[in-house]
Amino acid sequence: MSAAVGAERPQVVSHVQQALSYTVFDCKWVPRSARLLCLGSAARGTGLIQLYELHGARLELLREIEKSKPIKCGTFGATSLQQRYLATGDFDGNLNIWNLEAPEIPVYSVKGHKEIINSIDGVGGLGIGEGAPEIVTGSRDGTVKVWDPRQNDTPVANMEPVQGESKRDCWTVAFGNAYNQEERVVCAGYDNGDIKLFDLKTMSLRWETNIKNGVCSVEFDRKDINMNKLVATSLEGKFHVFDMRTQHPTKGFASVSEKAQKSTIWQVRHLPQNRDVFMTSGGSGSLHLWKDSEGSEMGVAGSVSLLQNVTLSTQPISSLDWSPDKKGLCVCGAFDQTVRVLIVTKLNKI
Amino acid sequence: MPVWLREHSWRQTLTAVYLSLPLRGARATPANIFCSEQYLKVSIPPFLFEAILYAPIDDTNSTAKIGNGNIFFTLYKKEPAMWDALTLENADKEKLQYLRENAVLKAHEKAKEETEAKKITKQEHKKYALEATMKLEEAERKRIEDLKEKERQKVAKELELWKNQQKNGDKYKSIQKKGEMHQEIEPLKERKSEKISKTRISNEGPSKTRLKSTKGSHGSCSIFSQNLKEEQLPAPRAAATIKVNFTPRVFPTALRESRVAEEEEWLHKQAEARRIINSDLSELEDLKEEEKNPDWLKDKGNKMFAMGDYLGAVNAYNLAVRLNNKLPLLYLNRAACHLKLRNLHKAVEDSSKALELLTPPVPDNENARVKAHVRRGTAFCQLELYTEGLQDYEAALKIDPKNKNIEKDAEKIRHLIQGTVQSS
């Protein structure tokens, strides 16, 4: 399929490959720059943050920061464009916000969870959307907590299991529906296949469903608009696209599901410049680029078509991030201890 | 006898001989003409013309033209010389024969050579075609590679361009910042001192002061802009908790569709086992610990059987079966007890159940199976179902052909059957 060069399909070009000496769990572009961050865990059990800059055909290491606990995930979503503070969740359940210019002491720190923070998301920063900047973390202890960097020690929202209920690991969280100062929604995916949608304005559970496979990654197509589309990926190579525009009182949201590959789909990321295009990364080391087409009527989910697929690695690609500044530039980190910078071409023609 | 054609006419030049042969009404095709170096034959049954030529000719280049009721040969001489005559006159029969055979042989060889040559040319053509296709494919592949390379380079260039733009943009911003900073430093210094004194007075924890002051020292202009923004940002949300219920799942691992069937099976088996243990719990409470062990009960049953207390043995086996209904020996022994008690139907049932549990039939459970068959056979015979009994005895014999007792009993039963057959 990737040999169809003559046709006007987007091509995934591998631009730079960088071998690392540690396991990389998350990679993120630093907004408004050609720099990227790799977060991970070194062999001796400490956390590493590495800052790279893209120089021609290679990555130059600008800075390396070592922390006491391995770092699982990070986001720039809740900081302003001038500050560009990184919020990270680590293996011990600590949420820290770092100023990368002076990383010795965190700007904000809280031991938010009893177990590893699996996923983190931020909203309200980077000049996108309105409302207070907030960070949400999902952890293996079954709770999802929303933090405001101005308020220490206590979360502003806490989604925890009922007393006496056995907990399920929360694997992924995402913000959405943040189109004005009051509205905000958090979507969380758990390992037993549950997807829950919490409304932060009314502080209630708005919708839940079970997709029969552990949920690896959820993402709204845009955080800062009225809820439009939610993509949830899971084990067994399946992903579901939910149409979030209309909610049926009993049936919930309409969805379309695709089985893309035989292995787990680890991540889904929407292209910041075109919310109908998203990329999924799989356990077989492959990346698939999809285009979503709108449903004809309200409440009818559209269909998803595969634009391109490419296999880059033999190990799962666990993290993926599009650059918000250059269309088609993305970075992915895989469990074979390499981080790759890719360029997806011909995205203008979609 | 062929009819000889003799009215031929010929003339010659130094290099060629022209022979004209009229056919008396016969139609000629190229197949009828046979020519070799020194021998020429035209055979159109019943007509025949043959000639042993005076000198050898070049038969590959020579031609024959068929038309107008005659054949016109143009034969090119191998050696340019004038012939005295067309044919060799004083050729005797043997020579003729020899020449004929030679000619045929030569023709064969020529044919062979021709086929060989054809084969070789064919192979060469094939090879050429293959190479041509390979070249085409290579060219195609190269074209695709080139396209890809071009894309890559284009994209790399764009990236460089964009990066430089970024850098320049950043430079401007930093210059701006510096300018602003110089302007703002004076009033900001005042603000900072205000803030620090405020926090000291408000008695907050030491961590907070540290936080505030670190925030204040970095990016002084950003405090300025941030303060503005903070006034626009809403206050942090009022803290609240949402209670969550999960879809129940027994296993601590993640849910996978492909594993659901296995998990169901496992749970089912666990439930079964638990049920058996827990059923009739009230009755089993007064029993001692050892009495709940099926093996111990089996031993007890065996002892009672040996002592002749058949009812007691049956009781023991019953309890054991309730605890664990998958042990074939329990049924086997209970069958023996029933036989002694003359509960023949029960004996048959129990031996059947034992046999069921003793599948697959392997050498290990041979003994047990023999016993089961024998016991069932005995029960059948005592019920006067002799044919079934014989079947069982024969099955037992099949498993253990060396057992004399079984043989004897089988014989007895056979006689009995034959006896009844005769009498009825």
Side-chain angles (χ1 to χ4, degrees), chain B residues 285-422:
Chain B
E285 268 171 14
D286 4 317
L287 294 176
K288 292 190 284 226
E289 193 50 49
E290 52 184 9
E291 285 171 346
K292 291 191 204 158
N293 182 355
D295 282 316
W296 184 87
L297 286 166
K298 184 173 68 114
D299 286 333
K300 200 82 168 124
N302 291 347
K303 279 189 218 142
M304 287 198 256
F305 184 85
M307 288 197 306
D309 179 9
Y310 301 122
L311 282 172
V314 167
N315 271 335
Y317 291 131
N318 283 346
L319 187 54
V321 158
R322 245 181 27 195
L323 290 171
N324 182 345
N325 58 357
K326 301 259 186 285
L327 295 175
L329 288 177
L330 294 175
Y331 293 102
L332 204 52
N333 294 353
R334 203 168 65 173
C337 301
H338 281 307
L339 268 182
K340 294 283 184 195
L341 290 170
R342 306 222 24 118
N343 294 337
L344 300 168
H345 288 281
K346 290 221 176 122
V348 169
E349 266 174 40
D350 275 340
S351 348
S352 307
K353 187 79 201 244
L355 273 173
E356 248 176 58
L357 287 168
L358 284 169
T359 49
V362 287
D364 284 342
N365 54 17
E366 249 177 29
N367 281 340
R369 274 185 297 131
V370 166
K371 279 193 211 151
H373 277 299
V374 166
R375 282 172 196 167
R376 199 165 66 175
T378 324
F380 276 135
C381 295
Q382 294 189 1
L383 282 170
E384 305 206 349
L385 297 168
Y386 294 112
T387 30
E388 279 85 357
L390 187 56
Q391 274 176 3
D392 267 316
Y393 270 97
E394 293 196 331
L397 263 180
K398 218 163 59 165
I399 305 171
D400 185 12
K402 303 209 186 88
N403 192 323
K404 296 290 174 194
N405 285 336
I406 303 180
E407 260 194 72
K408 257 198 301 182
D409 290 333
E411 272 304 309
K412 258 196 269 174
I413 301 174
R414 252 179 240 126
H415 284 310
L416 270 169
I417 294 180
Q418 284 169 351
T420 47
V421 166
Q422 276 177 352

Side-chain angles (χ1 to χ4, degrees), chain B residues 133-368:
Chain B
T133 28
M134 272 171 62
K135 256 193 234 148
L136 275 171
E137 280 180 8
E138 263 307 307
E140 182 66 25
R141 235 173 278 157
K142 209 165 166 295
R143 188 182 68 89
I144 291 178
E145 273 304 313
D146 284 338
L147 273 170
K148 277 199 188 157
E149 255 312 301
K150 255 192 260 166
E151 283 272 349
R152 245 175 261 159
Q153 283 171 359
K154 195 168 70 162
V155 135
K157 257 190 249 159
E158 275 182 30
L159 205 57
E160 274 307 304
L161 213 70
W162 167 75
K163 231 197 48 170
N164 290 337
Q165 279 176 2
Q166 286 289 328
K167 263 209 202 122
N168 295 342
D170 274 343
K171 266 197 217 139
Y172 276 134
K173 274 203 201 131
S174 58
I175 293 175
Q176 271 184 347
K177 262 196 191 177
K178 283 210 185 104
E180 283 179 19
M181 263 167 62
H182 286 306
Q183 291 176 14
E184 310 282 349
I185 279 200
E186 287 305 315
L188 276 178
K189 275 206 181 137
E190 291 175 12
R191 267 182 169 242
K192 242 208 282 181
S193 48
E194 267 182 50
K195 268 204 160 178
I196 293 179
S197 51
K198 248 200 232 166
T199 50
R200 282 214 198 102
I201 294 172
S202 62
N203 243 0
E204 286 169 7
S207 58
K208 270 216 170 144
T209 19
R210 193 183 58 187
L211 266 177
K212 282 253 164 78
S213 56
T214 46
K215 248 192 178 171
S217 52
H218 294 289
S220 20
C221 73
S222 49
I223 282 190
F224 190 55
S225 47
Q226 217 178 347
N227 275 343
L228 267 185
K229 225 191 166 197
E230 266 183 46
E231 286 157 25
Q232 295 169 357
L233 287 176
R237 230 173 267 276
T241 323
I242 305 177
K243 291 293 179 187
V244 165
N245 280 315
F246 295 112
T247 312
R249 183 167 162 77
V250 177
F251 300 90
T253 53
L255 177 60
R256 276 168 206 271
E257 265 183 323
S258 56
R259 293 256 196 257
V260 167
E262 284 175 39
E263 289 173 357
E264 289 289 297
E265 223 190 289
W266 189 85
L267 283 173
H268 190 66
K269 283 201 194 137
Q270 295 290 81
E272 274 269 351
R274 235 179 293 130
R275 199 171 37 82
I276 290 177
I277 294 175
N278 291 337
S279 64
D280 313 315
L281 206 52
S282 50
E283 292 179 28
L284 300 177
E285 268 171 14
D286 4 317
L287 294 176
K288 292 190 284 226
E289 193 50 49
E290 52 184 9
E291 285 171 346
K292 291 191 204 158
N293 182 355
D295 282 316
W296 184 87
L297 286 166
K298 184 173 68 114
D299 286 333
K300 200 82 168 124
N302 291 347
K303 279 189 218 142
M304 287 198 256
F305 184 85
M307 288 197 306
D309 179 9
Y310 301 122
L311 282 172
V314 167
N315 271 335
Y317 291 131
N318 283 346
L319 187 54
V321 158
R322 245 181 27 195
L323 290 171
N324 182 345
N325 58 357
K326 301 259 186 285
L327 295 175
L329 288 177
L330 294 175
Y331 293 102
L332 204 52
N333 294 353
R334 203 168 65 173
C337 301
H338 281 307
L339 268 182
K340 294 283 184 195
L341 290 170
R342 306 222 24 118
N343 294 337
L344 300 168
H345 288 281
K346 290 221 176 122
V348 169
E349 266 174 40
D350 275 340
S351 348
S352 307
K353 187 79 201 244
L355 273 173
E356 248 176 58
L357 287 168
L358 284 169
T359 49
V362 287
D364 284 342
N365 54 17
E366 249 177 29
N367 281 340

Side-chain angles (χ1 to χ4, degrees), chain A residues 54 107 160 194 213 238 343, chain B residues 155 163 211 243 247 257:
Chain A
L54 198 55
V107 168
E160 61 181 10
D194 279 345
N213 282 298
K238 291 218 178 96
I343 304 173
Chain B
V155 135
K163 231 197 48 170
L211 266 177
K243 291 293 179 187
T247 312
E257 265 183 323

